[in-house]
Amino acid sequence: MNSEVSAAQSYQRTMWRTARETAGFLWLALDPRRNQPQRIYDLLSAHNNLGERSVYLNLGYWKRARDYDGACQDMAELLGERAGLGALDRVLDAGCGFGEQDAYWMRRFSPVKISAVNIAESQLAMARGRNGHPHIEYVHGSATALPFASGAYDKVLALESAFHFQTREDFFKEAFRVLRPGGTLALADVVPITVGTVGGRLRQRLVEYLGRGIWQTPNANLYGRDEYVRKLERAGFADVDVEDISEHVFQPFKAYAQRRVHDAEVRERVHPWLRAVYAAPHQGFRRTEYLIITAQKPAALG
Ligand SMILES: C[S@@+](CC[C@H](N)C(=O)[O-])C[C@H]1O[C@@H](n2cnc3c(N)ncnc32)[C@H](O)[C@@H]1O
């Protein structure tokens, strides 16, 4: 009898959660402001992801990895390598999610400290519990108004978060300010392919519009890689390097997600609309590329 009651209660809780998330997704999809990324991450919480052992929230780097957790960690490894992380570094992580990559970077590269910034307090609360470390500080704040002194960091990293920032260009200016001369900015970012993709079928454009709402991507961030490089240079950065890793991200992520949504555990916890998006046969990322970008703050200014 008791187990029947608790099964009924748990069913009711799941239904309420699904209804609340449905209303939240609709609200975000249709909200034209696109300036509240914390709302989507509060909604997703820790249960709406594909991880088996981790709570990473990126698309993963699938060159070797066979599952989502491994692919996300490999993405963190790739970005850490490209940033040249090392034991003497003071690191700022902008858009830290649940802090999975911060704990990984600490284990792997042993930097002096990591300041991990996030606009979503709900994620920070979990990050502190799950990925707490004496040399990692989790800080509530925005990547576009960093609560840190000028020149305080050797490396600034943003792992699949800069497309959210209001605006990404304001973040470039802030990253430049908090880096010491000679410091490095490294980003893993999703960027529109602008050449030859103007227009598109109405259905595709509608899906993209709603997707940008749900992911709270400001229109001001919708530019391609050339403009990306120009904006970095305008912020003062030099030696900008762009690496296209799309082939190791989008298609393998999609193939994995299509299988993973059928696992009973995912069916239970992930919202049905997200599962439908993961399971859909279309690629969904046709007009975007996945880039690893590094840029240097010149050692001697002027
Ligand atoms: C796609 S998630 C990536 C999380 C993490 N880097 C990972 O790979 O698991 C994007 C993250 O950026 C954060 N974010 C979005 N806008 C932000 C802002 N303006 N300032 C700081 N963090 C922000 C979100 O709250 C979320 O944690």
Side-chain angles (χ1 to χ4, degrees):
M1 183 64 181
N2 269 350
S3 72
E4 269 173 34
V5 171
S6 71
Q9 281 172 342
S10 141
Y11 176 76
Q12 220 172 26
R13 269 200 301 274
T14 308
M15 294 308 284
W16 272 115
R17 188 177 76 190
T18 304
R20 193 174 54 79
E21 289 172 358
T22 303
F25 289 141
L26 279 174
W27 189 91
L28 287 169
L30 299 173
D31 177 16
R33 289 171 298 173
R34 283 120 197 250
N35 60 0
Q36 299 188 63
Q38 65 275 29
R39 293 196 64 142
I40 179 63
Y41 291 103
D42 288 345
L43 259 186
L44 291 177
S45 186
H47 59 273
N48 274 308
N49 83 0
L50 296 178
E52 292 169 52
R53 304 174 299 282
S54 75
V55 283
Y56 272 111
L57 282 172
N58 65 67
L59 294 170
Y61 180 62
W62 297 82
K63 203 166 178 178
R64 287 183 321 227
R66 292 287 162 263
D67 66 12
Y68 182 70
D69 309 279
C72 290
Q73 183 169 296
D74 284 357
M75 183 66 88
E77 168 71 22
L78 181 68
L79 191 64
E81 263 180 23
R82 293 297 187 267
L85 287 190
L88 298 178
D89 284 336
R90 297 156 301 164
V91 179
L92 190 150
D93 178 19
C96 70
F98 295 108
E100 297 288 89
Q101 70 282 342
D102 302 302
Y104 177 72
W105 289 332
M106 192 48 81
R107 284 197 305 278
R108 169 78 174 84
F109 301 103
S110 313
V112 174
K113 70 161 181 177
I114 300 179
S115 301
V117 181
N118 199 335
I119 204 162
E121 289 207 69
S122 57
Q123 292 191 328
L124 285 171
M126 183 160 166
R128 289 188 188 105
R130 184 181 161 91
N131 287 313
H133 185 284
H135 299 296
I136 303 177
E137 56 168 350
Y138 290 102
V139 180
H140 182 234
S142 173
T144 55
L146 291 167
F148 305 112
S150 302
Y153 293 92
D154 304 287
K155 307 281 161 66
V156 174
L157 284 75
L159 202 179
E160 216 175 291
S161 48
F163 58 87
H164 282 303
F165 300 160
Q166 181 85 18
T167 63
R168 189 198 271 129
E169 198 174 3
D170 286 340
F171 166 63
F172 292 164
K173 292 177 194 154
E174 274 295 82
F176 191 84
R177 180 183 68 76
V178 300
L179 277 170
R180 65 153 170 83
T184 301
L185 169 64
L187 309 109
D189 208 350
V190 184
V191 175
I193 299 172
T194 46
V195 181
T197 58
V198 178
R201 302 233 312 267
L202 188 62
R203 185 170 171 276
Q204 166 87 9
R205 277 164 41 204
L206 181 66
V207 168
E208 286 173 3
Y209 174 83
L210 296 174
R212 287 201 299 275
I214 287 181
W215 292 109
Q216 291 288 287
T217 309
N219 290 337
N221 293 345
L222 298 179
Y223 45 83
R225 66 158 88 180
D226 293 345
E227 185 58 14
Y228 204 113
V229 173
R230 272 195 291 276
K231 285 185 192 297
L232 279 166
E233 288 171 347
R234 242 179 266 145
F237 287 100
D239 299 328
V240 181
D241 185 75
V242 178
E243 183 181 354
D244 181 356
I245 58 164
S246 307
E247 69 168 312
H248 299 302
V249 178
F250 297 130
Q251 198 280 328
F253 168 80
K254 183 74 185 167
Y256 174 82
Q258 281 179 322
R259 291 193 305 276
R260 177 79 171 123
V261 287
H262 299 296
D263 290 352
E265 177 236 339
V266 167
R267 281 210 310 269
E268 244 168 57
R269 61 178 168 82
V270 175
H271 189 281
W273 285 0
L274 289 174
R275 281 189 276 125
V277 169
Y278 289 138
H282 61 78
Q283 175 48 260
F285 297 108
R286 263 186 315 184
R287 302 188 332 157
T288 48
E289 51 186 355
Y290 201 106
L291 304 177
I292 300 286
I293 297 146
T294 55
Q296 313 301 323
K297 177 166 174 172
L301 291 175

